[in-house]
Amino acid sequence: MNLPFLPFAKPTIDEATIADVAQVLRSGWITSGPKVQAFEAALSEYFGGRPVRTFNSGTCTMEIALRIAGIGPGDEVITTPISWVATANVILEVGATPVFADIDPVTRNIDLDKLEAAITPRTRAIIPVYLAGLPVDMDRLYQIAGKHNLRVVEDAAQAIGSTWKEQRIGSFGDLVSFSFQANKNITSSEGGCLVMNNADEARLAEKYRLQGVTRSGMDGIDVDVLGGKFNMTDIAAAIGLGQFAHLDAVTRRRKALAVRYFDLFGPDFEQSTGAQLPPRELQDSNWHMFQLVLPERIKRADFMSRMMELNIGIGYHYPAIHLFTLYRERGYREGLCPIAERVGRQIVSLPMFATMQDSDVDRAVDAVKSVLQ
Ligand SMILES: *Cc1c(COP(=O)(O)O)cnc(C)c1O
């Protein structure tokens, strides 16, 4: 077989976007400018008119959200161990303490009962993550947050285009953070955006992203908070705008690919292999990833190399964060979140991107079945 390599993710930039980027490069203004403003306006409209600001990564977007919420030393923030390490790193970055609650083995998202049980008098915020684009029970999430007076910083990095009861993720809730990193459903090469509650938060976000600066009049400038350098460039925003135009089509295509995956794996796949499919959530998820949890009898690395021999790329998203050295050194241990630890060892991401062909799904499913027998 000499079929070409099938990656697990692949961005597609159309020619109009490439032309737009070239125009920005020739314009004489390549940092934050009119393209950033246009991208933020488009996103704000998409999220029901809520204020939106862009940044140069999803990670700094989360960090700024925590600063806006006033989270700092002495505060506990509850989150899931099954996420990109950025989710917990930003908690450490603002000087707060991450508290990990175990996941639900079916959704692979934070278990809201365990989240609620982890609340202490020092808890100030919660960071739910919508793994693979699947939201948690948003009604329950905000009911818990309201009852305990907690801020919510939604790590919706993977969830643009996802919904809850027909409402877009980001169009409601507290602080909602998205990423436009290269592998996300839409990209700006690197970047992120934060959806906020009001104009005061948006002004604070602008300060945090650019050295705490406020300008006024012809030559007025003051600095009253410690900000950093987190602004998005017009080059990135031009890519983001070009991608944003395809968001609905991308989400539809990904759902169709997910349906094909489920159809081809068939009703007996889990029983006959011991592998676990994702929940068949075709309403709310944007299908950022299609992930299997492998049976214990096969090592993930072996599965990945055998898929690689068949020319198919496999991702692993994600090993449990609390078992990384940085976290072990802070006292987190094996056994803290047993479900997350098992899933984190055995989870794999199959190829999933909008320009994938139906025949690519067929190939991926055949390969998985042959490797798992
Ligand atoms: C991508 C991602 C991030 C970080 O976003 P970057 O843009 O790469 O900084 C954070 N959390 C989750 C769940 C992600 O998938």
Side-chain angles (χ1 to χ4, degrees):
M1 277 214 304
N2 44 10
L3 288 167
F5 179 67
L6 177 62
F8 72 81
K10 188 169 102 178
T12 305
I13 310 292
D14 65 20
E15 289 304 318
T17 305
I18 292 170
D20 234 30
V21 170
Q23 188 228 311
V24 170
L25 291 173
R26 292 189 183 103
S27 73
W29 192 276
I30 59 177
T31 183
S32 311
K35 291 289 181 190
V36 165
Q37 280 186 11
F39 192 26
E40 288 175 348
L43 289 164
S44 176
E45 191 191 337
Y46 180 78
F47 293 120
R50 300 183 75 201
V52 178
R53 294 295 181 273
T54 55
F55 306 91
N56 60 29
S57 74
T59 304
C60 70
T61 302
M62 297 275 298
E63 185 183 324
I64 287 169
L66 288 172
R67 292 193 193 283
I68 290 171
I71 309 302
D75 298 335
E76 292 177 356
V77 179
I78 304 173
T79 192
T80 168
I82 299 294
S83 181
W84 179 226
V85 67
T87 308
N89 282 355
V90 294
I91 301 172
L92 295 178
E93 202 65 61
V94 301
T97 304
V99 173
F100 296 101
D102 209 348
I103 60 165
D104 174 318
V106 175
T107 66
R108 302 144 186 182
N109 281 329
I110 194 165
D111 179 328
L112 294 178
D113 289 330
K114 289 175 182 153
L115 183 159
E116 191 163 24
I119 294 171
T120 76
R122 281 155 56 131
T123 308
R124 292 278 315 282
I126 48 192
I127 305 185
V129 176
Y130 312 141
L131 190 71
L134 179 68
V136 299
D137 178 335
M138 302 300 289
D139 297 334
R140 177 93 203 285
L141 173 75
Y142 277 99
Q143 182 242 318
I144 294 169
K147 181 170 151 200
H148 298 274
N149 201 20
L150 305 175
R151 293 301 299 262
V152 181
V153 174
E154 298 181 32
D155 185 348
Q158 304 182 357
I160 196 159
S162 298
T163 56
W164 174 254
K165 296 184 175 167
E166 287 164 27
Q167 282 188 283
R168 289 172 181 152
I169 293 298
S171 69
F172 63 97
D174 192 353
L175 297 167
V176 189
S177 173
F178 295 90
S179 166
F180 304 121
Q181 184 267 342
N183 284 344
K184 300 304 200 281
N185 287 21
I186 63 168
T187 182
S188 60
S189 75
E190 296 287 356
C193 78
L194 185 64
V195 187
M196 290 161 284
N197 298 292
N198 54 53
D200 286 346
E201 288 181 350
R203 266 191 297 277
L204 200 47
E206 289 175 6
K207 290 189 203 179
Y208 281 127
R209 80 177 166 187
L210 224 154
Q211 314 293 1
V213 162
T214 317
R215 293 181 190 277
S216 57
M218 245 342 240
D219 65 349
I221 176 165
D222 192 22
V223 175
D224 63 349
V225 299
L226 178 58
K229 185 69 159 76
F230 299 122
N231 57 301
M232 177 179 276
T233 67
D234 264 22
I235 302 167
I239 301 172
L241 273 167
Q243 292 270 293
F244 183 66
H246 300 293
L247 176 57
D248 291 343
V250 161
T251 307
R252 272 198 304 279
R253 179 62 187 150
R254 284 172 172 271
K255 284 186 188 186
L257 291 166
V259 168
R260 191 168 184 87
Y261 265 119
F262 282 117
D263 288 351
L264 293 176
F265 278 122
D268 302 328
F269 173 74
E270 293 185 311
Q271 185 111 70
S272 62
T273 61
Q276 223 187 339
L277 292 166
R280 201 184 170 100
E281 182 42 75
L282 298 167
Q283 195 65 42
D284 289 332
S285 179
N286 67 358
W287 290 96
H288 173 59
M289 298 189 283
F290 192 98
Q291 298 183 290
L292 296 181
V293 177
L294 300 173
E296 296 285 340
R297 64 186 163 84
I298 186 163
K299 281 211 176 73
R300 177 168 60 194
D302 295 339
F303 176 84
M304 290 173 72
S305 8
R306 292 190 54 197
M307 291 296 283
M308 195 61 95
E309 284 162 18
L310 299 168
N311 245 351
I312 292 174
I314 296 290
Y316 54 110
H317 308 94
Y318 296 95
I321 295 171
H322 63 285
L323 300 182
F324 289 132
T325 302
L326 180 74
Y327 289 84
R328 287 182 187 271
E329 283 173 356
R330 281 163 176 72
Y332 302 93
R333 286 281 174 272
E334 199 104 33
L336 184 68
C337 297
I339 301 169
E341 289 160 21
R342 174 178 63 77
V343 168
R345 270 194 310 274
Q346 294 299 87
I347 197 164
V348 291
S349 306
L350 304 186
M352 174 59 96
F353 49 93
T355 51
M356 222 174 123
Q357 304 299 306
D358 285 357
S359 58
D360 293 330
V361 180
D362 305 14
R363 243 181 99 186
V365 171
D366 286 347
V368 169
K369 286 182 171 172
S370 77
V371 171
L372 295 180
Q373 270 95 325

